[in-house]
Amino acid sequence: MSDPSTVPDALRRAIGAVAGFAAPNVAVGLVGPTGTLAVHGDADRRFRWASITKLVTGYAVLTAVDEGRIDLDEAAPRPAADGVSVRHLLAHCSGLAFDGDMVQGRPGTRRIYSNTGFDVLGSLLAARDGVPVEEALRARVLGPLGMDGTVLLERPSQGLHGPLRDLARLAGELLRPTLVGVGLFETATHVVFEALPGVLPGVGKFDVLDWGLAF
């Protein structure tokens, strides 16, 4: 960890402010291109990551795309409808519902944030690698980044549990990517299927809900 004295006072105060959150356990880290700059809370306590899991699953799929093992424009497995590609799944515009196998729209016409879509991606990745999805995530992302405290206990859309220390390693990778090529990373972190209307469960409807590939 960097010398805490190099972290501006204002940033350290902001991190410390989370101590007032109405939660039994809170951990926050500040990460820059050179590594973790500051931490508040227990960096080794395992938390449920919920939908941050989608970033890891999506990033693992992108490593397989970079290898040529998966193609962004190949047909997505069922329950995705005809005409749905891996790209649609990653961009939350496959038409699959938030949860369950229901198809709620044509591909590329609406942004419907979908757990199901990322579960399908996890299954596809596991099938191509010939291992359970947790092993695929470990081989492709968790292991190379030293995220040894993180485990998949539930679905690949929402089931990772891990410590802040590992999440900081993921953040560092996304600031200076090493696991995928520059061109693919640029594509993934820019809007795909621009200006689609959409629905973000728990938040609401949007006239424009922009998304990249998992990001």
mmCIF file of all heavy atoms in Angstrom, residues 83-131:
data_model
loop_
_atom_site.group_PDB
_atom_site.id
_atom_site.type_symbol
_atom_site.label_atom_id
_atom_site.label_comp_id
_atom_site.label_asym_id
_atom_site.label_seq_id
_atom_site.Cartn_x
_atom_site.Cartn_y
_atom_site.Cartn_z
ATOM 1 N N GLY A 83 -31.394 -14.496 -33.066
ATOM 2 C CA GLY A 83 -30.895 -13.169 -33.383
ATOM 3 C C GLY A 83 -30.121 -12.495 -32.264
ATOM 4 O O GLY A 83 -29.551 -11.420 -32.459
ATOM 5 N N VAL A 84 -30.081 -13.130 -31.095
ATOM 6 C CA VAL A 84 -29.333 -12.577 -29.968
ATOM 7 C C VAL A 84 -27.892 -13.063 -30.020
ATOM 8 O O VAL A 84 -27.633 -14.255 -30.210
ATOM 9 C CB VAL A 84 -29.975 -12.981 -28.625
ATOM 10 C CG1 VAL A 84 -29.106 -12.517 -27.459
ATOM 11 C CG2 VAL A 84 -31.372 -12.389 -28.508
ATOM 12 N N SER A 85 -26.963 -12.150 -29.845
ATOM 13 C CA SER A 85 -25.538 -12.478 -29.867
ATOM 14 C C SER A 85 -24.942 -12.325 -28.468
ATOM 15 O O SER A 85 -25.564 -11.776 -27.551
ATOM 16 C CB SER A 85 -24.796 -11.547 -30.830
ATOM 17 O OG SER A 85 -24.806 -10.215 -30.333
ATOM 18 N N VAL A 86 -23.708 -12.777 -28.325
ATOM 19 C CA VAL A 86 -22.959 -12.564 -27.091
ATOM 20 C C VAL A 86 -22.835 -11.074 -26.802
ATOM 21 O O VAL A 86 -22.944 -10.632 -25.654
ATOM 22 C CB VAL A 86 -21.575 -13.233 -27.184
ATOM 23 C CG1 VAL A 86 -20.668 -12.812 -26.034
ATOM 24 C CG2 VAL A 86 -21.726 -14.755 -27.218
ATOM 25 N N ARG A 87 -22.637 -10.282 -27.831
ATOM 26 C CA ARG A 87 -22.546 -8.821 -27.673
ATOM 27 C C ARG A 87 -23.830 -8.269 -27.034
ATOM 28 O O ARG A 87 -23.777 -7.417 -26.141
ATOM 29 C CB ARG A 87 -22.293 -8.168 -29.031
ATOM 30 C CG ARG A 87 -21.901 -6.707 -28.959
ATOM 31 C CD ARG A 87 -21.850 -6.088 -30.358
ATOM 32 N NE ARG A 87 -20.941 -6.796 -31.255
ATOM 33 C CZ ARG A 87 -19.673 -6.470 -31.443
ATOM 34 N NH1 ARG A 87 -19.148 -5.439 -30.804
ATOM 35 N NH2 ARG A 87 -18.925 -7.164 -32.301
ATOM 36 N N HIS A 88 -24.979 -8.746 -27.494
ATOM 37 C CA HIS A 88 -26.252 -8.309 -26.910
ATOM 38 C C HIS A 88 -26.325 -8.669 -25.424
ATOM 39 O O HIS A 88 -26.795 -7.860 -24.606
ATOM 40 C CB HIS A 88 -27.429 -8.961 -27.641
ATOM 41 C CG HIS A 88 -27.675 -8.437 -29.012
ATOM 42 N ND1 HIS A 88 -27.679 -9.257 -30.119
ATOM 43 C CD2 HIS A 88 -27.925 -7.190 -29.475
ATOM 44 C CE1 HIS A 88 -27.935 -8.539 -31.202
ATOM 45 N NE2 HIS A 88 -28.087 -7.283 -30.837
ATOM 46 N N LEU A 89 -25.905 -9.880 -25.074
ATOM 47 C CA LEU A 89 -25.941 -10.295 -23.672
ATOM 48 C C LEU A 89 -25.063 -9.387 -22.810
ATOM 49 O O LEU A 89 -25.488 -8.926 -21.741
ATOM 50 C CB LEU A 89 -25.476 -11.745 -23.526
ATOM 51 C CG LEU A 89 -26.370 -12.838 -24.108
ATOM 52 C CD1 LEU A 89 -25.679 -14.193 -23.961
ATOM 53 C CD2 LEU A 89 -27.730 -12.873 -23.426
ATOM 54 N N LEU A 90 -23.842 -9.140 -23.244
ATOM 55 C CA LEU A 90 -22.918 -8.303 -22.486
ATOM 56 C C LEU A 90 -23.437 -6.883 -22.325
ATOM 57 O O LEU A 90 -23.170 -6.218 -21.322
ATOM 58 C CB LEU A 90 -21.543 -8.276 -23.161
ATOM 59 C CG LEU A 90 -20.688 -9.533 -23.017
ATOM 60 C CD1 LEU A 90 -19.533 -9.498 -24.005
ATOM 61 C CD2 LEU A 90 -20.164 -9.667 -21.585
ATOM 62 N N ALA A 91 -24.192 -6.404 -23.303
ATOM 63 C CA ALA A 91 -24.675 -5.017 -23.312
ATOM 64 C C ALA A 91 -26.075 -4.875 -22.735
ATOM 65 O O ALA A 91 -26.669 -3.804 -22.820
ATOM 66 C CB ALA A 91 -24.641 -4.473 -24.737
ATOM 67 N N HIS A 92 -26.606 -5.929 -22.146
ATOM 68 C CA HIS A 92 -27.944 -5.887 -21.544
ATOM 69 C C HIS A 92 -29.018 -5.459 -22.538
ATOM 70 O O HIS A 92 -29.947 -4.727 -22.186
ATOM 71 C CB HIS A 92 -27.966 -4.939 -20.341
ATOM 72 C CG HIS A 92 -27.209 -5.440 -19.150
ATOM 73 N ND1 HIS A 92 -27.637 -6.502 -18.377
ATOM 74 C CD2 HIS A 92 -26.045 -5.020 -18.600
ATOM 75 C CE1 HIS A 92 -26.766 -6.707 -17.387
ATOM 76 N NE2 HIS A 92 -25.796 -5.824 -17.505
ATOM 77 N N CYS A 93 -28.901 -5.898 -23.771
ATOM 78 C CA CYS A 93 -29.970 -5.583 -24.734
ATOM 79 C C CYS A 93 -30.350 -6.827 -25.538
ATOM 80 O O CYS A 93 -30.660 -6.750 -26.728
ATOM 81 C CB CYS A 93 -29.585 -4.419 -25.632
ATOM 82 S SG CYS A 93 -28.161 -4.685 -26.674
ATOM 83 N N SER A 94 -30.338 -7.968 -24.844
ATOM 84 C CA SER A 94 -30.716 -9.229 -25.483
ATOM 85 C C SER A 94 -32.227 -9.420 -25.542
ATOM 86 O O SER A 94 -32.719 -10.289 -26.272
ATOM 87 C CB SER A 94 -30.116 -10.405 -24.709
ATOM 88 O OG SER A 94 -30.700 -10.487 -23.414
ATOM 89 N N GLY A 95 -32.950 -8.634 -24.753
ATOM 90 C CA GLY A 95 -34.387 -8.827 -24.636
ATOM 91 C C GLY A 95 -34.780 -9.745 -23.503
ATOM 92 O O GLY A 95 -35.962 -9.862 -23.178
ATOM 93 N N LEU A 96 -33.805 -10.422 -22.883
ATOM 94 C CA LEU A 96 -34.110 -11.285 -21.740
ATOM 95 C C LEU A 96 -34.517 -10.448 -20.534
ATOM 96 O O LEU A 96 -33.980 -9.360 -20.302
ATOM 97 C CB LEU A 96 -32.899 -12.145 -21.385
ATOM 98 C CG LEU A 96 -32.582 -13.297 -22.346
ATOM 99 C CD1 LEU A 96 -31.219 -13.888 -22.022
ATOM 100 C CD2 LEU A 96 -33.668 -14.369 -22.268
ATOM 101 N N ALA A 97 -35.438 -10.984 -19.754
ATOM 102 C CA ALA A 97 -35.922 -10.287 -18.572
ATOM 103 C C ALA A 97 -34.834 -10.173 -17.506
ATOM 104 O O ALA A 97 -33.791 -10.828 -17.578
ATOM 105 C CB ALA A 97 -37.126 -11.041 -18.001
ATOM 106 N N PHE A 98 -35.105 -9.334 -16.512
ATOM 107 C CA PHE A 98 -34.182 -9.171 -15.388
ATOM 108 C C PHE A 98 -33.866 -10.529 -14.755
ATOM 109 O O PHE A 98 -32.710 -10.854 -14.503
ATOM 110 C CB PHE A 98 -34.795 -8.225 -14.352
ATOM 111 C CG PHE A 98 -34.029 -8.133 -13.069
ATOM 112 C CD1 PHE A 98 -32.723 -7.658 -13.047
ATOM 113 C CD2 PHE A 98 -34.606 -8.517 -11.862
ATOM 114 C CE1 PHE A 98 -32.011 -7.568 -11.863
ATOM 115 C CE2 PHE A 98 -33.905 -8.432 -10.675
ATOM 116 C CZ PHE A 98 -32.608 -7.959 -10.671
ATOM 117 N N ASP A 99 -34.893 -11.315 -14.508
ATOM 118 C CA ASP A 99 -34.721 -12.675 -13.996
ATOM 119 C C ASP A 99 -35.707 -13.592 -14.699
ATOM 120 O O ASP A 99 -36.786 -13.162 -15.112
ATOM 121 C CB ASP A 99 -34.960 -12.735 -12.490
ATOM 122 C CG ASP A 99 -33.672 -12.663 -11.686
ATOM 123 O OD1 ASP A 99 -32.663 -13.258 -12.120
ATOM 124 O OD2 ASP A 99 -33.663 -12.019 -10.620
ATOM 125 N N GLY A 100 -35.350 -14.863 -14.822
ATOM 126 C CA GLY A 100 -36.219 -15.818 -15.488
ATOM 127 C C GLY A 100 -35.969 -15.863 -16.986
ATOM 128 O O GLY A 100 -35.192 -15.077 -17.532
ATOM 129 N N ASP A 101 -36.654 -16.780 -17.660
ATOM 130 C CA ASP A 101 -36.393 -17.046 -19.077
ATOM 131 C C ASP A 101 -37.266 -16.233 -20.029
ATOM 132 O O ASP A 101 -37.198 -16.426 -21.243
ATOM 133 C CB ASP A 101 -36.610 -18.534 -19.371
ATOM 134 C CG ASP A 101 -35.583 -19.414 -18.665
ATOM 135 O OD1 ASP A 101 -34.601 -18.864 -18.126
ATOM 136 O OD2 ASP A 101 -35.772 -20.643 -18.644
ATOM 137 N N MET A 102 -38.077 -15.332 -19.500
ATOM 138 C CA MET A 102 -38.987 -14.563 -20.354
ATOM 139 C C MET A 102 -38.216 -13.634 -21.290
ATOM 140 O O MET A 102 -37.241 -12.992 -20.896
ATOM 141 C CB MET A 102 -39.942 -13.737 -19.507
ATOM 142 C CG MET A 102 -40.990 -12.960 -20.298
ATOM 143 S SD MET A 102 -42.035 -11.945 -19.230
ATOM 144 C CE MET A 102 -42.750 -13.204 -18.180
ATOM 145 N N VAL A 103 -38.650 -13.575 -22.537
ATOM 146 C CA VAL A 103 -38.104 -12.632 -23.521
ATOM 147 C C VAL A 103 -39.044 -11.434 -23.579
ATOM 148 O O VAL A 103 -40.235 -11.577 -23.868
ATOM 149 C CB VAL A 103 -37.968 -13.294 -24.899
ATOM 150 C CG1 VAL A 103 -37.517 -12.271 -25.932
ATOM 151 C CG2 VAL A 103 -36.971 -14.455 -24.832
ATOM 152 N N GLN A 104 -38.512 -10.255 -23.308
ATOM 153 C CA GLN A 104 -39.337 -9.053 -23.208
ATOM 154 C C GLN A 104 -39.104 -8.045 -24.331
ATOM 155 O O GLN A 104 -39.679 -6.962 -24.317
ATOM 156 C CB GLN A 104 -39.094 -8.380 -21.859
ATOM 157 C CG GLN A 104 -39.519 -9.231 -20.676
ATOM 158 C CD GLN A 104 -39.354 -8.518 -19.361
ATOM 159 O OE1 GLN A 104 -38.347 -7.858 -19.123
ATOM 160 N NE2 GLN A 104 -40.340 -8.649 -18.485
ATOM 161 N N GLY A 105 -38.265 -8.400 -25.281
ATOM 162 C CA GLY A 105 -38.026 -7.473 -26.375
ATOM 163 C C GLY A 105 -37.120 -8.082 -27.426
ATOM 164 O O GLY A 105 -36.489 -9.114 -27.210
ATOM 165 N N ARG A 106 -37.085 -7.435 -28.578
ATOM 166 C CA ARG A 106 -36.201 -7.879 -29.653
ATOM 167 C C ARG A 106 -34.767 -7.432 -29.353
ATOM 168 O O ARG A 106 -34.553 -6.382 -28.740
ATOM 169 C CB ARG A 106 -36.668 -7.298 -30.987
ATOM 170 C CG ARG A 106 -37.998 -7.881 -31.464
ATOM 171 C CD ARG A 106 -38.422 -7.294 -32.811
ATOM 172 N NE ARG A 106 -38.780 -5.881 -32.698
ATOM 173 C CZ ARG A 106 -38.052 -4.872 -33.159
ATOM 174 N NH1 ARG A 106 -36.909 -5.105 -33.781
ATOM 175 N NH2 ARG A 106 -38.460 -3.639 -33.007
ATOM 176 N N PRO A 107 -33.785 -8.189 -29.789
ATOM 177 C CA PRO A 107 -32.390 -7.825 -29.492
ATOM 178 C C PRO A 107 -32.014 -6.472 -30.087
ATOM 179 O O PRO A 107 -32.400 -6.134 -31.202
ATOM 180 C CB PRO A 107 -31.577 -8.960 -30.139
ATOM 181 C CG PRO A 107 -32.501 -9.593 -31.133
ATOM 182 C CD PRO A 107 -33.872 -9.440 -30.572
ATOM 183 N N GLY A 108 -31.285 -5.712 -29.274
ATOM 184 C CA GLY A 108 -30.756 -4.436 -29.745
ATOM 185 C C GLY A 108 -31.749 -3.303 -29.799
ATOM 186 O O GLY A 108 -31.452 -2.253 -30.385
ATOM 187 N N THR A 109 -32.928 -3.467 -29.178
ATOM 188 C CA THR A 109 -33.943 -2.417 -29.245
ATOM 189 C C THR A 109 -34.221 -1.764 -27.892
ATOM 190 O O THR A 109 -34.692 -0.639 -27.847
ATOM 191 C CB THR A 109 -35.273 -2.976 -29.795
ATOM 192 O OG1 THR A 109 -35.742 -4.019 -28.938
ATOM 193 C CG2 THR A 109 -35.074 -3.517 -31.208
ATOM 194 N N ARG A 110 -33.958 -2.480 -26.805
ATOM 195 C CA ARG A 110 -34.171 -1.947 -25.463
ATOM 196 C C ARG A 110 -33.069 -2.444 -24.546
ATOM 197 O O ARG A 110 -32.537 -3.531 -24.728
ATOM 198 C CB ARG A 110 -35.513 -2.412 -24.874
ATOM 199 C CG ARG A 110 -36.741 -1.901 -25.555
ATOM 200 C CD ARG A 110 -37.988 -2.547 -24.960
ATOM 201 N NE ARG A 110 -38.160 -2.224 -23.559
ATOM 202 C CZ ARG A 110 -38.867 -2.970 -22.680
ATOM 203 N NH1 ARG A 110 -39.433 -4.093 -23.080
ATOM 204 N NH2 ARG A 110 -38.995 -2.592 -21.425
ATOM 205 N N ARG A 111 -32.734 -1.626 -23.553
ATOM 206 C CA ARG A 111 -31.764 -2.033 -22.555
ATOM 207 C C ARG A 111 -32.536 -2.566 -21.346
ATOM 208 O O ARG A 111 -33.197 -1.796 -20.648
ATOM 209 C CB ARG A 111 -30.900 -0.844 -22.135
ATOM 210 C CG ARG A 111 -29.597 -1.209 -21.464
ATOM 211 C CD ARG A 111 -28.497 -1.479 -22.446
ATOM 212 N NE ARG A 111 -28.142 -0.309 -23.236
ATOM 213 C CZ ARG A 111 -27.204 -0.290 -24.169
ATOM 214 N NH1 ARG A 111 -26.524 -1.395 -24.456
ATOM 215 N NH2 ARG A 111 -26.946 0.799 -24.868
ATOM 216 N N ILE A 112 -32.496 -3.864 -21.157
ATOM 217 C CA ILE A 112 -33.154 -4.491 -20.007
ATOM 218 C C ILE A 112 -32.064 -5.161 -19.175
ATOM 219 O O ILE A 112 -31.530 -6.200 -19.560
ATOM 220 C CB ILE A 112 -34.204 -5.521 -20.448
ATOM 221 C CG1 ILE A 112 -35.243 -4.886 -21.378
ATOM 222 C CG2 ILE A 112 -34.884 -6.136 -19.219
ATOM 223 C CD1 ILE A 112 -36.194 -5.890 -22.004
ATOM 224 N N TYR A 113 -31.711 -4.536 -18.084
ATOM 225 C CA TYR A 113 -30.659 -5.065 -17.215
ATOM 226 C C TYR A 113 -31.040 -6.482 -16.787
ATOM 227 O O TYR A 113 -32.088 -6.692 -16.177
ATOM 228 C CB TYR A 113 -30.511 -4.149 -16.007
ATOM 229 C CG TYR A 113 -29.369 -4.474 -15.087
ATOM 230 C CD1 TYR A 113 -28.092 -3.961 -15.342
ATOM 231 C CD2 TYR A 113 -29.554 -5.254 -13.957
ATOM 232 C CE1 TYR A 113 -27.040 -4.235 -14.489
ATOM 233 C CE2 TYR A 113 -28.507 -5.534 -13.101
ATOM 234 C CZ TYR A 113 -27.255 -5.019 -13.376
ATOM 235 O OH TYR A 113 -26.210 -5.295 -12.535
ATOM 236 N N SER A 114 -30.184 -7.445 -17.104
ATOM 237 C CA SER A 114 -30.599 -8.842 -17.011
ATOM 238 C C SER A 114 -29.610 -9.721 -16.260
ATOM 239 O O SER A 114 -28.477 -9.939 -16.714
ATOM 240 C CB SER A 114 -30.804 -9.407 -18.426
ATOM 241 O OG SER A 114 -31.151 -10.770 -18.370
ATOM 242 N N ASN A 115 -30.037 -10.235 -15.105
ATOM 243 C CA ASN A 115 -29.269 -11.288 -14.444
ATOM 244 C C ASN A 115 -29.188 -12.529 -15.326
ATOM 245 O O ASN A 115 -28.142 -13.163 -15.444
ATOM 246 C CB ASN A 115 -29.928 -11.668 -13.119
ATOM 247 C CG ASN A 115 -29.746 -10.628 -12.041
ATOM 248 O OD1 ASN A 115 -28.786 -9.857 -12.054
ATOM 249 N ND2 ASN A 115 -30.671 -10.597 -11.094
ATOM 250 N N THR A 116 -30.311 -12.863 -15.949
ATOM 251 C CA THR A 116 -30.358 -14.068 -16.779
ATOM 252 C C THR A 116 -29.312 -14.023 -17.882
ATOM 253 O O THR A 116 -28.641 -15.025 -18.164
ATOM 254 C CB THR A 116 -31.757 -14.237 -17.388
ATOM 255 O OG1 THR A 116 -32.724 -14.295 -16.337
ATOM 256 C CG2 THR A 116 -31.842 -15.495 -18.230
ATOM 257 N N GLY A 117 -29.163 -12.860 -18.506
ATOM 258 C CA GLY A 117 -28.187 -12.730 -19.582
ATOM 259 C C GLY A 117 -26.779 -13.074 -19.135
ATOM 260 O O GLY A 117 -26.018 -13.743 -19.862
ATOM 261 N N PHE A 118 -26.416 -12.664 -17.923
ATOM 262 C CA PHE A 118 -25.063 -12.945 -17.436
ATOM 263 C C PHE A 118 -24.928 -14.367 -16.909
ATOM 264 O O PHE A 118 -23.838 -14.944 -16.939
ATOM 265 C CB PHE A 118 -24.643 -11.895 -16.403
ATOM 266 C CG PHE A 118 -24.057 -10.678 -17.067
ATOM 267 C CD1 PHE A 118 -24.874 -9.796 -17.740
ATOM 268 C CD2 PHE A 118 -22.693 -10.452 -17.075
ATOM 269 C CE1 PHE A 118 -24.352 -8.689 -18.399
ATOM 270 C CE2 PHE A 118 -22.151 -9.357 -17.727
ATOM 271 C CZ PHE A 118 -22.988 -8.472 -18.396
ATOM 272 N N ASP A 119 -26.025 -14.953 -16.464
ATOM 273 C CA ASP A 119 -25.983 -16.380 -16.146
ATOM 274 C C ASP A 119 -25.737 -17.198 -17.417
ATOM 275 O O ASP A 119 -24.988 -18.183 -17.406
ATOM 276 C CB ASP A 119 -27.290 -16.806 -15.488
ATOM 277 C CG ASP A 119 -27.468 -16.218 -14.097
ATOM 278 O OD1 ASP A 119 -26.453 -15.872 -13.460
ATOM 279 O OD2 ASP A 119 -28.633 -16.102 -13.657
ATOM 280 N N VAL A 120 -26.365 -16.789 -18.514
ATOM 281 C CA VAL A 120 -26.148 -17.460 -19.796
ATOM 282 C C VAL A 120 -24.689 -17.316 -20.221
ATOM 283 O O VAL A 120 -24.052 -18.271 -20.691
ATOM 284 C CB VAL A 120 -27.095 -16.900 -20.878
ATOM 285 C CG1 VAL A 120 -26.720 -17.440 -22.257
ATOM 286 C CG2 VAL A 120 -28.546 -17.245 -20.554
ATOM 287 N N LEU A 121 -24.131 -16.110 -20.048
ATOM 288 C CA LEU A 121 -22.721 -15.900 -20.394
ATOM 289 C C LEU A 121 -21.810 -16.786 -19.549
ATOM 290 O O LEU A 121 -20.836 -17.353 -20.051
ATOM 291 C CB LEU A 121 -22.353 -14.429 -20.177
ATOM 292 C CG LEU A 121 -22.891 -13.447 -21.202
ATOM 293 C CD1 LEU A 121 -22.718 -12.009 -20.694
ATOM 294 C CD2 LEU A 121 -22.194 -13.606 -22.555
ATOM 295 N N GLY A 122 -22.134 -16.915 -18.263
ATOM 296 C CA GLY A 122 -21.331 -17.785 -17.407
ATOM 297 C C GLY A 122 -21.383 -19.233 -17.859
ATOM 298 O O GLY A 122 -20.358 -19.928 -17.888
ATOM 299 N N SER A 123 -22.566 -19.675 -18.250
ATOM 300 C CA SER A 123 -22.707 -21.056 -18.735
ATOM 301 C C SER A 123 -21.943 -21.262 -20.037
ATOM 302 O O SER A 123 -21.315 -22.313 -20.240
ATOM 303 C CB SER A 123 -24.183 -21.382 -18.939
ATOM 304 O OG SER A 123 -24.884 -21.344 -17.716
ATOM 305 N N LEU A 124 -21.989 -20.265 -20.928
ATOM 306 C CA LEU A 124 -21.256 -20.363 -22.189
ATOM 307 C C LEU A 124 -19.751 -20.444 -21.937
ATOM 308 O O LEU A 124 -19.048 -21.278 -22.530
ATOM 309 C CB LEU A 124 -21.584 -19.160 -23.067
ATOM 310 C CG LEU A 124 -20.796 -19.042 -24.376
ATOM 311 C CD1 LEU A 124 -21.085 -20.217 -25.302
ATOM 312 C CD2 LEU A 124 -21.111 -17.708 -25.079
ATOM 313 N N LEU A 125 -19.255 -19.599 -21.051
ATOM 314 C CA LEU A 125 -17.828 -19.601 -20.734
ATOM 315 C C LEU A 125 -17.410 -20.941 -20.142
ATOM 316 O O LEU A 125 -16.377 -21.511 -20.519
ATOM 317 C CB LEU A 125 -17.518 -18.474 -19.751
ATOM 318 C CG LEU A 125 -16.059 -18.324 -19.344
ATOM 319 C CD1 LEU A 125 -15.201 -17.882 -20.528
ATOM 320 C CD2 LEU A 125 -15.928 -17.320 -18.192
ATOM 321 N N ALA A 126 -18.218 -21.466 -19.218
ATOM 322 C CA ALA A 126 -17.897 -22.759 -18.606
ATOM 323 C C ALA A 126 -17.866 -23.871 -19.648
ATOM 324 O O ALA A 126 -16.982 -24.739 -19.631
ATOM 325 C CB ALA A 126 -18.925 -23.079 -17.519
ATOM 326 N N ALA A 127 -18.817 -23.823 -20.589
ATOM 327 C CA ALA A 127 -18.861 -24.847 -21.635
ATOM 328 C C ALA A 127 -17.631 -24.773 -22.537
ATOM 329 O O ALA A 127 -17.053 -25.814 -22.900
ATOM 330 C CB ALA A 127 -20.129 -24.684 -22.462
ATOM 331 N N ARG A 128 -17.222 -23.569 -22.904
ATOM 332 C CA ARG A 128 -16.055 -23.433 -23.792
ATOM 333 C C ARG A 128 -14.764 -23.837 -23.094
ATOM 334 O O ARG A 128 -13.855 -24.388 -23.721
ATOM 335 C CB ARG A 128 -15.953 -21.981 -24.287
ATOM 336 C CG ARG A 128 -17.081 -21.576 -25.200
ATOM 337 C CD ARG A 128 -17.070 -22.348 -26.530
ATOM 338 N NE ARG A 128 -18.341 -22.233 -27.210
ATOM 339 C CZ ARG A 128 -18.650 -21.221 -28.026
ATOM 340 N NH1 ARG A 128 -17.778 -20.266 -28.266
ATOM 341 N NH2 ARG A 128 -19.836 -21.195 -28.597
ATOM 342 N N ASP A 129 -14.674 -23.551 -21.791
ATOM 343 C CA ASP A 129 -13.456 -23.900 -21.059
ATOM 344 C C ASP A 129 -13.491 -25.335 -20.531
ATOM 345 O O ASP A 129 -12.465 -25.860 -20.092
ATOM 346 C CB ASP A 129 -13.251 -22.933 -19.894
ATOM 347 C CG ASP A 129 -12.726 -21.571 -20.348
ATOM 348 O OD1 ASP A 129 -12.459 -21.410 -21.562
ATOM 349 O OD2 ASP A 129 -12.584 -20.673 -19.494
ATOM 350 N N GLY A 130 -14.667 -25.946 -20.535
ATOM 351 C CA GLY A 130 -14.793 -27.319 -20.066
ATOM 352 C C GLY A 130 -14.631 -27.485 -18.574
ATOM 353 O O GLY A 130 -14.203 -28.549 -18.100
ATOM 354 N N VAL A 131 -14.982 -26.441 -17.811
ATOM 355 C CA VAL A 131 -14.869 -26.485 -16.353
ATOM 356 C C VAL A 131 -16.088 -25.780 -15.761
ATOM 357 O O VAL A 131 -16.776 -25.033 -16.462
ATOM 358 C CB VAL A 131 -13.580 -25.798 -15.857
ATOM 359 C CG1 VAL A 131 -12.345 -26.524 -16.366
ATOM 360 C CG2 VAL A 131 -13.549 -24.327 -16.274
#
